[in-house]
PDB file of all heavy atoms in Angstrom:
ATOM      1  N   ILE A 743      22.660   8.091   5.511  1.00 97.00           N
ATOM      2  CA  ILE A 743      21.290   7.710   5.890  1.00 97.00           C
ATOM      3  C   ILE A 743      20.359   8.150   4.769  1.00 97.00           C
ATOM      4  O   ILE A 743      20.430   9.285   4.310  1.00 97.00           O
ATOM      5  CB  ILE A 743      20.896   8.383   7.231  1.00 97.00           C
ATOM      6  CG1 ILE A 743      21.840   7.885   8.338  1.00 97.00           C
ATOM      7  CG2 ILE A 743      19.440   8.105   7.580  1.00 97.00           C
ATOM      8  CD1 ILE A 743      22.004   8.849   9.472  1.00 97.00           C
ATOM      9  N   MET A 744      19.542   7.213   4.312  1.00 96.00           N
ATOM     10  CA  MET A 744      18.729   7.472   3.125  1.00 96.00           C
ATOM     11  C   MET A 744      17.242   7.590   3.458  1.00 96.00           C
ATOM     12  O   MET A 744      16.513   6.605   3.375  1.00 96.00           O
ATOM     13  CB  MET A 744      18.938   6.349   2.089  1.00 96.00           C
ATOM     14  CG  MET A 744      20.374   6.175   1.660  1.00 96.00           C
ATOM     15  SD  MET A 744      20.962   7.659   0.814  1.00 96.00           S
ATOM     16  CE  MET A 744      22.731   7.518   1.068  1.00 96.00           C
ATOM     17  N   PRO A 745      16.793   8.764   3.829  1.00 96.00           N
ATOM     18  CA  PRO A 745      15.346   8.929   4.038  1.00 96.00           C
ATOM     19  C   PRO A 745      14.694   9.008   2.665  1.00 96.00           C
ATOM     20  O   PRO A 745      15.386   9.027   1.644  1.00 96.00           O
ATOM     21  CB  PRO A 745      15.253  10.276   4.748  1.00 96.00           C
ATOM     22  CG  PRO A 745      16.405  11.049   4.213  1.00 96.00           C
ATOM     23  CD  PRO A 745      17.494  10.067   3.882  1.00 96.00           C
ATOM     24  N   ARG A 746      13.360   9.021   2.602  1.00 96.00           N
ATOM     25  CA  ARG A 746      12.730   9.164   1.277  1.00 96.00           C
ATOM     26  C   ARG A 746      11.651  10.223   1.289  1.00 96.00           C
ATOM     27  O   ARG A 746      10.916  10.362   2.263  1.00 96.00           O
ATOM     28  CB  ARG A 746      12.140   7.829   0.819  1.00 96.00           C
ATOM     29  CG  ARG A 746      13.106   7.073  -0.067  1.00 96.00           C
ATOM     30  CD  ARG A 746      12.405   6.007  -0.879  1.00 96.00           C
ATOM     31  NE  ARG A 746      11.575   6.566  -1.950  1.00 96.00           N
ATOM     32  CZ  ARG A 746      10.764   5.825  -2.692  1.00 96.00           C
ATOM     33  NH1 ARG A 746      10.660   4.537  -2.473  1.00 96.00           N
ATOM     34  NH2 ARG A 746      10.050   6.373  -3.635  1.00 96.00           N
ATOM     35  N   ARG A 747      11.594  10.962   0.200  1.00 96.00           N
ATOM     36  CA  ARG A 747      10.505  11.925   0.020  1.00 96.00           C
ATOM     37  C   ARG A 747       9.322  11.124  -0.488  1.00 96.00           C
ATOM     38  O   ARG A 747       9.079  11.019  -1.671  1.00 96.00           O
ATOM     39  CB  ARG A 747      10.900  13.013  -0.983  1.00 96.00           C
ATOM     40  CG  ARG A 747      12.056  13.847  -0.534  1.00 96.00           C
ATOM     41  CD  ARG A 747      12.311  14.964  -1.510  1.00 96.00           C
ATOM     42  NE  ARG A 747      11.236  15.969  -1.442  1.00 96.00           N
ATOM     43  CZ  ARG A 747      11.116  17.004  -2.276  1.00 96.00           C
ATOM     44  NH1 ARG A 747      12.002  17.160  -3.236  1.00 96.00           N
ATOM     45  NH2 ARG A 747      10.139  17.859  -2.139  1.00 96.00           N
ATOM     46  N   TYR A 748       8.622  10.567   0.454  1.00 93.00           N
ATOM     47  CA  TYR A 748       7.542   9.639   0.130  1.00 93.00           C
ATOM     48  C   TYR A 748       6.273  10.246   0.694  1.00 93.00           C
ATOM     49  O   TYR A 748       6.165  10.348   1.908  1.00 93.00           O
ATOM     50  CB  TYR A 748       7.870   8.304   0.791  1.00 93.00           C
ATOM     51  CG  TYR A 748       7.175   7.103   0.238  1.00 93.00           C
ATOM     52  CD1 TYR A 748       7.170   6.835  -1.112  1.00 93.00           C
ATOM     53  CD2 TYR A 748       6.527   6.223   1.090  1.00 93.00           C
ATOM     54  CE1 TYR A 748       6.530   5.706  -1.607  1.00 93.00           C
ATOM     55  CE2 TYR A 748       5.885   5.095   0.600  1.00 93.00           C
ATOM     56  CZ  TYR A 748       5.895   4.843  -0.749  1.00 93.00           C
ATOM     57  OH  TYR A 748       5.268   3.735  -1.227  1.00 93.00           O
ATOM     58  N   PHE A 749       5.333  10.838  -0.063  1.00 95.00           N
ATOM     59  CA  PHE A 749       5.265  10.794  -1.508  1.00 95.00           C
ATOM     60  C   PHE A 749       5.675  12.144  -2.107  1.00 95.00           C
ATOM     61  O   PHE A 749       5.398  13.177  -1.526  1.00 95.00           O
ATOM     62  CB  PHE A 749       3.844  10.476  -1.969  1.00 95.00           C
ATOM     63  CG  PHE A 749       3.330   9.200  -1.388  1.00 95.00           C
ATOM     64  CD1 PHE A 749       2.397   9.228  -0.381  1.00 95.00           C
ATOM     65  CD2 PHE A 749       3.797   7.984  -1.849  1.00 95.00           C
ATOM     66  CE1 PHE A 749       1.913   8.035   0.149  1.00 95.00           C
ATOM     67  CE2 PHE A 749       3.308   6.786  -1.328  1.00 95.00           C
ATOM     68  CZ  PHE A 749       2.370   6.825  -0.324  1.00 95.00           C
ATOM     69  N   TYR A 750       6.268  12.088  -3.235  1.00 97.00           N
ATOM     70  CA  TYR A 750       6.638  13.271  -3.979  1.00 97.00           C
ATOM     71  C   TYR A 750       6.696  12.869  -5.439  1.00 97.00           C
ATOM     72  O   TYR A 750       7.227  11.802  -5.733  1.00 97.00           O
ATOM     73  CB  TYR A 750       7.996  13.796  -3.510  1.00 97.00           C
ATOM     74  CG  TYR A 750       8.483  14.961  -4.326  1.00 97.00           C
ATOM     75  CD1 TYR A 750       8.059  16.252  -4.045  1.00 97.00           C
ATOM     76  CD2 TYR A 750       9.324  14.739  -5.419  1.00 97.00           C
ATOM     77  CE1 TYR A 750       8.484  17.312  -4.818  1.00 97.00           C
ATOM     78  CE2 TYR A 750       9.738  15.802  -6.204  1.00 97.00           C
ATOM     79  CZ  TYR A 750       9.321  17.084  -5.903  1.00 97.00           C
ATOM     80  OH  TYR A 750       9.727  18.120  -6.677  1.00 97.00           O
ATOM     81  N   PRO A 751       6.204  13.660  -6.396  1.00 97.00           N
ATOM     82  CA  PRO A 751       5.464  14.912  -6.189  1.00 97.00           C
ATOM     83  C   PRO A 751       3.976  14.646  -5.941  1.00 97.00           C
ATOM     84  O   PRO A 751       3.544  13.489  -5.936  1.00 97.00           O
ATOM     85  CB  PRO A 751       5.655  15.595  -7.542  1.00 97.00           C
ATOM     86  CG  PRO A 751       5.667  14.450  -8.520  1.00 97.00           C
ATOM     87  CD  PRO A 751       6.315  13.307  -7.804  1.00 97.00           C
ATOM     88  N   SER A 752       3.222  15.724  -5.755  1.00 97.00           N
ATOM     89  CA  SER A 752       1.771  15.611  -5.681  1.00 97.00           C
ATOM     90  C   SER A 752       1.297  15.222  -7.083  1.00 97.00           C
ATOM     91  O   SER A 752       1.607  15.899  -8.065  1.00 97.00           O
ATOM     92  CB  SER A 752       1.179  16.956  -5.258  1.00 97.00           C
ATOM     93  OG  SER A 752      -0.202  16.827  -5.019  1.00 97.00           O
ATOM     94  N   LEU A 753       0.556  14.116  -7.190  1.00 97.00           N
ATOM     95  CA  LEU A 753       0.290  13.535  -8.516  1.00 97.00           C
ATOM     96  C   LEU A 753      -0.528  14.448  -9.433  1.00 97.00           C
ATOM     97  O   LEU A 753      -0.468  14.306 -10.655  1.00 97.00           O
ATOM     98  CB  LEU A 753      -0.376  12.162  -8.373  1.00 97.00           C
ATOM     99  CG  LEU A 753       0.467  11.109  -7.643  1.00 97.00           C
ATOM    100  CD1 LEU A 753      -0.276   9.779  -7.581  1.00 97.00           C
ATOM    101  CD2 LEU A 753       1.824  10.911  -8.311  1.00 97.00           C
ATOM    102  N   ASN A 754      -1.299  15.377  -8.857  1.00 95.00           N
ATOM    103  CA  ASN A 754      -2.079  16.297  -9.695  1.00 95.00           C
ATOM    104  C   ASN A 754      -1.176  17.246 -10.489  1.00 95.00           C
ATOM    105  O   ASN A 754      -1.638  17.914 -11.404  1.00 95.00           O
ATOM    106  CB  ASN A 754      -3.061  17.107  -8.842  1.00 95.00           C
ATOM    107  CG  ASN A 754      -2.353  17.949  -7.804  1.00 95.00           C
ATOM    108  OD1 ASN A 754      -1.586  17.426  -6.994  1.00 95.00           O
ATOM    109  ND2 ASN A 754      -2.581  19.247  -7.824  1.00 95.00           N
ATOM    110  N   THR A 755       0.125  17.294 -10.135  1.00 94.00           N
ATOM    111  CA  THR A 755       1.042  18.183 -10.858  1.00 94.00           C
ATOM    112  C   THR A 755       1.789  17.460 -11.980  1.00 94.00           C
ATOM    113  O   THR A 755       2.572  18.073 -12.694  1.00 94.00           O
ATOM    114  CB  THR A 755       2.080  18.808  -9.895  1.00 94.00           C
ATOM    115  OG1 THR A 755       2.898  17.748  -9.352  1.00 94.00           O
ATOM    116  CG2 THR A 755       1.400  19.550  -8.744  1.00 94.00           C
ATOM    117  N   LEU A 756       1.563  16.156 -12.135  1.00 94.00           N
ATOM    118  CA  LEU A 756       2.207  15.433 -13.241  1.00 94.00           C
ATOM    119  C   LEU A 756       1.372  15.615 -14.510  1.00 94.00           C
ATOM    120  O   LEU A 756       0.203  15.224 -14.542  1.00 94.00           O
ATOM    121  CB  LEU A 756       2.325  13.933 -12.916  1.00 94.00           C
ATOM    122  CG  LEU A 756       3.377  13.549 -11.871  1.00 94.00           C
ATOM    123  CD1 LEU A 756       3.336  12.044 -11.596  1.00 94.00           C
ATOM    124  CD2 LEU A 756       4.775  13.951 -12.327  1.00 94.00           C
ATOM    125  N   PRO A 757       1.975  16.193 -15.551  1.00 90.00           N
ATOM    126  CA  PRO A 757       1.188  16.541 -16.742  1.00 90.00           C
ATOM    127  C   PRO A 757       0.481  15.347 -17.383  1.00 90.00           C
ATOM    128  O   PRO A 757      -0.649  15.472 -17.834  1.00 90.00           O
ATOM    129  CB  PRO A 757       2.224  17.155 -17.691  1.00 90.00           C
ATOM    130  CG  PRO A 757       3.555  16.865 -17.106  1.00 90.00           C
ATOM    131  CD  PRO A 757       3.370  16.590 -15.655  1.00 90.00           C
TER     132      PRO A 757
END
Side-chain angles (χ1 to χ4, degrees):
I743 298 154
M744 302 296 156
R746 265 199 72 187
R747 297 185 70 187
Y748 200 50
F749 304 106
Y750 175 84
S752 187
L753 298 181
N754 61 304
T755 64
L756 287 177

